[in-house]
Amino acid sequence: MRIVVIGGGPIGSKLVTRLREDGHEAIPASPDTGVDTLTGEGLSQALAGADVVIDVSSPPPLEDAAVLEFFATSTRNLLAAEAAAGVGHHVVLSAVGIDRLQDSGYFRAKTAQEQLIEDSAVPYSIVHATQFFEYLPSLAEAATDGGTARFAAVLFQPIAEDDAVQAIGRISAGPPLNGKVEVAGPEQFRMDEFFRNALATRDDPRTVVTDSRAGFFGAELAEGTLLPGADAVLGGTRFRDWPGRAAAGGDANLHELDRYVRTELIMAETSQPEDEAVAVPVEEWLFDPEDGPRYEASLHSLLGAVEVLEEHDGP
């Protein structure tokens, strides 16, 4: 099955790796590979012969109107290109509780994106995921003012990124749901207590204060705002077993290095020289063409070493 993954970053690269391991022809598509969903550049070429498209793209931090423009424009362009290419399944990553987070400009934009998908002629699956473990440090940073981080005493159910990737891959390889499915971690936590313990584990000096007015991407939180329903697909990784739980430990460092190397390897394997560079005289080349294969070989060697260390770096 030919599956195109729209959007770079760790989750995009992990999806490509996972899908290839499962025997699919997975193609990364992002500005780094010459595909721009905002302008439409490279879309028709990238989607040629594709059976499935997975959209995990996200804009950089922007004001509300710009975020809405990003999701609306990129999704329209992507759906139009999919219809022209005969793509049979559009999959998009979204968030659990999105309908309860409409005070947030970001989630209003994601809601508009979902509406465009539902109204299109392309069969689809919308995956609502809870917060990834990997993004929890960013949530703590967003909640921090000085030496204090403020969180509401509400429940949430975060998931390991690897578990979410596995679920997205499985959904993408199956028939279109023409509906939504929720993906979450196996445990619920009180948000304030969770971050108080998590920051202490990382020897983080910040004080966590329980604040009922503390929001989430600009939205107020009630008890069940961030919780999935009873039919959610649950990941198997508990937070205490997640390699990145402690920032200073060897497990965490290896985990981050593994993520970086895999991302670099996918980009190296899929990047091609610009056509016009072929005609440039050899004396004007800025690098040796053989550097590419050598770089890939070094990444493969580094990844192998990391995997060996991860196998032996147990508790």
Side-chain angles (χ1 to χ4, degrees):
M1 185 176 291
R2 184 179 175 89
I3 303 177
V4 177
V5 179
I6 303 291
I11 190 166
S13 63
K14 281 189 173 185
L15 270 168
V16 170
T17 299
R18 177 78 193 199
L19 291 165
R20 288 176 177 175
E21 290 173 349
D22 290 342
H24 300 291
E25 181 187 2
I27 310 298
S30 70
D32 289 332
T33 62
V35 179
D36 190 334
T37 55
L38 282 176
T39 64
E41 180 184 0
L43 268 180
S44 59
Q45 297 91 327
L47 301 190
D51 301 294
V52 182
V53 170
I54 306 174
D55 184 6
V56 294
S57 62
S58 187
L62 298 169
E63 63 181 20
D64 290 354
V67 173
L68 178 59
E69 178 65 19
F70 173 88
F71 282 121
T73 301
S74 62
T75 301
R76 287 192 185 100
N77 288 339
L78 189 53
L79 291 170
E82 288 175 16
V87 173
H89 191 183
H90 177 95
V91 181
V92 67
L93 176 62
S94 191
V96 163
I98 191 170
D99 58 321
R100 303 184 291 271
L101 293 164
Q102 292 300 295
D103 289 339
S104 163
Y106 178 85
F107 290 113
R108 289 197 300 272
K110 289 294 288 183
T111 299
Q113 179 190 41
E114 292 186 11
Q115 190 63 56
L116 288 170
I117 294 167
E118 291 171 339
D119 291 343
S120 79
V122 180
Y124 67 91
S125 298
I126 297 174
V127 182
H128 281 181
T130 55
Q131 298 70 43
F132 296 161
F133 291 160
E134 285 77 1
Y135 297 167
L136 295 179
S138 298
L139 293 182
E141 190 64 30
T144 297
D145 183 7
T148 301
R150 298 182 178 276
F151 291 97
V154 297
L155 291 171
F156 79 136
Q157 199 166 328
I159 185 172
E161 190 175 68
D162 286 344
D163 289 347
V165 164
Q166 181 180 9
I168 295 168
R170 186 168 56 248
I171 292 164
S172 302
L177 301 175
N178 291 319
K180 303 170 184 177
V181 60
E182 292 184 319
V183 175
E187 304 169 288
Q188 293 183 4
F189 302 94
R190 289 279 174 191
M191 185 173 279
D192 56 338
E193 294 175 359
F194 174 90
F195 280 98
R196 190 173 290 118
N197 294 331
L199 293 181
T201 299
R202 290 171 170 257
D203 295 323
D204 192 308
R206 282 177 288 184
T207 300
V208 173
V209 173
T210 302
D211 184 350
S212 61
R213 297 169 299 176
F216 183 76
F217 287 93
E220 293 186 5
L221 296 176
E223 176 70 4
T225 300
L226 300 176
L227 290 181
D231 296 332
V233 176
L234 301 184
T237 304
R238 295 181 178 275
F239 183 70
R240 65 172 178 266
D241 300 323
W242 177 55
R245 183 174 63 91
D251 283 348
N253 291 333
L254 287 173
H255 180 71
E256 291 303 314
L257 180 58
D258 183 283
R259 282 160 54 92
Y260 171 78
V261 174
R262 290 182 186 277
T263 300
E264 283 291 300
L265 187 56
I266 287 173
M267 296 311 301
E269 290 176 338
T270 56
S271 296
Q272 299 294 330
E274 297 292 337
D275 291 340
E276 57 268 23
V278 176
V280 175
V282 65
E283 62 270 16
E284 296 182 21
W285 288 358
L286 299 179
F287 62 90
D288 186 338
E290 294 185 1
D291 285 347
R294 284 198 293 263
Y295 183 52
E296 289 183 33
S298 67
L299 287 173
H300 278 292
S301 297
L302 180 56
L303 182 58
V306 170
E307 289 174 342
V308 169
L309 289 172
E310 286 178 322
E311 290 176 2
H312 292 87
D313 193 26

